[in-house]
Structure formats: C-alpha cells, structure tokens
Amino acid sequence: GNSVTQMEGPVTLSEEAFLTINCTYTATGYPSLFWYVQYPGEGLQLLLKATKADDKGSNKGFEATYRKETTSFHLEKGSVQVSDSAVYFCALSDPKADGLTFGKGTHLIIQP
Amino acid sequence: NAGVTQTPKFRILKIGQSMTLQCAQDMNHNYMYWYRQDPGMGLKLIYYSVGAGITDKGEVPNGYNVSRSTTEDFPLRLELAAPSQTSVYFCASTQDGGYFWQPQHFGDGTRLSIL
C-alpha cells in the first residue's frame, strides 16, 4: 500500500533561518504530492502541490520538487517567519487509492 | 465563502452514547471524505462518498456510519462511543476525486472526547 514518511518534530528554528522538512513516499501508481499546513485550532490548508515528476510546487515562499528517482518531496523555505509556526503534512493522492495518504506531520516552531 | 463547515467544534461524550458529526460544503463538490487525526499521527480515512447516495469505507471505518442524501451534506454517526474514538475529526471535499491531482478542501474539525 501507499505510505508517506516525514521527519519527526518538533523542529525549532530561529526567524530568517533556512527550512527543510524531509518527505519520502511509497506508492503503487504515479501519485500527486501535496503539502498541507495546519495552524493551531484550524483545519488543513493546501500549501502547494506537484502532479508529476520534476514538477516544482511553490507558494508563500515555500517550495517542493517532485523527485521520482528518490521518491521524495522535501519542503523548503529560504527565510522562515514566526507566522510559519504550524504543523506541516506531506500527503499523496493515487488513482488506485481512496482519499489522501498522510505523513504523521512535522510541528515547526519559529522563535523570534 | 463558507467552504466546508463542521459542527460541533467540540464535544464530550460518555461511553456508549451516540452522536452525529455534521459536515456541509457549499462548493458543489461531488467527493466528500471523513478523516480522523490522532495525536502525533497523520489523518486516516474513515469513509468517503463520490456523490449523493454513494458511500464507501476507508481505512478505519469500524464504529462509524455515514449517509449522503444530498450533494452538500455528509454526516458521520457514532453509534456506541468508545474511548478509542477520542480524536479530531475532519471533513473534506473535492470537486472530482477521480482527478486525483485536485486538492481537498478541509473543514476546521470536530474535537471529540469519549470519557
């Protein structure tokens, strides 16, 4: 079956630091890949997505590239802000599966 | 722009009680989903629906039931609440889940505690 593995948290960084959150996946088909963000007390919001190999998704300064050869979709941001503090979920969608398959989430804490 | 609306936001139940978690979307989406989120875990799919009158089980359906009488509403029912069902429940929708590259839109969740 499908699975998503992402780095354990919490990840604590200082403001303006560089961010990488690792995500790797296992899928039977050719999935689409997503990063969702969850702010405290809220539901999940789509941050970015990529639908085929070598696609780069980007939004709000965050980027992730769909690497089929390494089955990875790492999230990066060049300079984080306190407002980026949230839980980040990597997820995949596969035409042979129902719904999204999620990683466990990475809690990101940005200190001023 | 309401999107996906879930009610209630919080609820405490006693073991053996029943309740219905409500979910409504105003985007005319065909596909709707129920997930549960346990602490430190990703979301797990409970049930989903591809349209009015059609529902199917996800990864963790035991202890739950769903119905889909309209495009807009997708309630989740717990018949005999158990402590293992303590979780945060999220409803989501997408226009056409057959186009799997489309993102899902999530509600703000219902935090349920079974004591």
Side-chain angles (χ1 to χ4, degrees):
Chain A
N2 296 339
S3 66
V4 175
T5 302
Q6 57 182 110
M7 60 191 295
E8 298 285 330
V11 173
T12 303
L13 295 173
S14 297
E15 204 166 21
E16 299 184 1
F18 184 86
L19 168 71
T20 300
I21 300 178
N22 290 335
C23 171
T24 58
Y25 68 90
T26 302
T28 54
Y30 297 92
S32 288
L33 301 173
F34 304 87
W35 278 100
Y36 283 85
V37 58
Q38 183 181 31
Y39 298 103
E42 298 183 8
L44 280 71
Q45 303 173 23
L46 178 68
L47 181 59
L48 53 83
K49 70 174 185 178
T51 59
K52 62 182 186 294
D54 299 324
D55 267 2
K56 177 185 284 188
S58 61
N59 186 27
K60 299 181 181 179
F62 290 89
E63 293 183 340
T65 301
Y66 188 164
R67 301 289 188 197
K68 186 170 173 58
E69 63 275 14
T70 55
T71 62
S72 65
F73 192 53
H74 304 321
L75 183 68
E76 297 182 335
K77 186 175 185 183
S79 176
V80 292
Q81 306 299 313
V82 172
S83 57
D84 293 327
S85 298
V87 180
Y88 291 80
F89 291 94
C90 185
L92 70 82
S93 180
D94 184 320
K96 298 181 182 179
D98 306 311
L100 290 165
T101 300
F102 285 88
K104 292 184 178 181
T106 301
H107 187 193
L108 176 65
I109 300 169
I110 308 300
Q111 296 178 334
Chain B
N1 248 11
V4 178
T5 302
Q6 291 183 237
T7 56
K9 293 190 181 302
F10 305 94
R11 185 73 183 268
I12 298 174
L13 283 182
K14 294 182 179 178
I15 295 171
Q17 287 186 321
S18 62
M19 78 162 293
T20 299
L21 282 66
Q22 301 292 344
C23 175
Q25 53 90 10
D26 61 358
M27 297 173 283
N28 201 32
H29 284 174
N30 288 317
Y31 282 63
M32 296 187 74
Y33 307 84
W34 274 106
Y35 295 90
R36 60 177 287 172
Q37 182 185 27
D38 297 322
M41 302 294 290
L43 281 69
K44 301 285 188 183
L45 183 65
I46 305 172
Y47 270 95
Y48 68 101
S49 170
V50 303
I54 306 170
T55 63
D56 209 344
K57 296 178 180 179
E59 184 180 357
V60 291
N62 291 343
Y64 307 95
N65 280 299
V66 294
S67 60
R68 184 95 181 271
S69 57
T70 66
T71 300
E72 294 78 19
D73 300 302
F74 189 41
L76 177 72
R77 179 130 181 108
L78 284 71
E79 290 294 349
L80 290 171
S84 60
Q85 294 177 304
T86 294
S87 189
V88 181
Y89 292 84
F90 288 100
C91 180
S93 72
T94 191
Q95 185 165 6
D96 189 339
Y99 297 107
F100 64 99
W101 55 86
Q102 291 186 347
Q104 295 183 11
H105 299 261
F106 286 81
D108 286 343
T110 294
R111 185 175 297 274
L112 181 63
S113 295
I114 315 296
L115 304 176

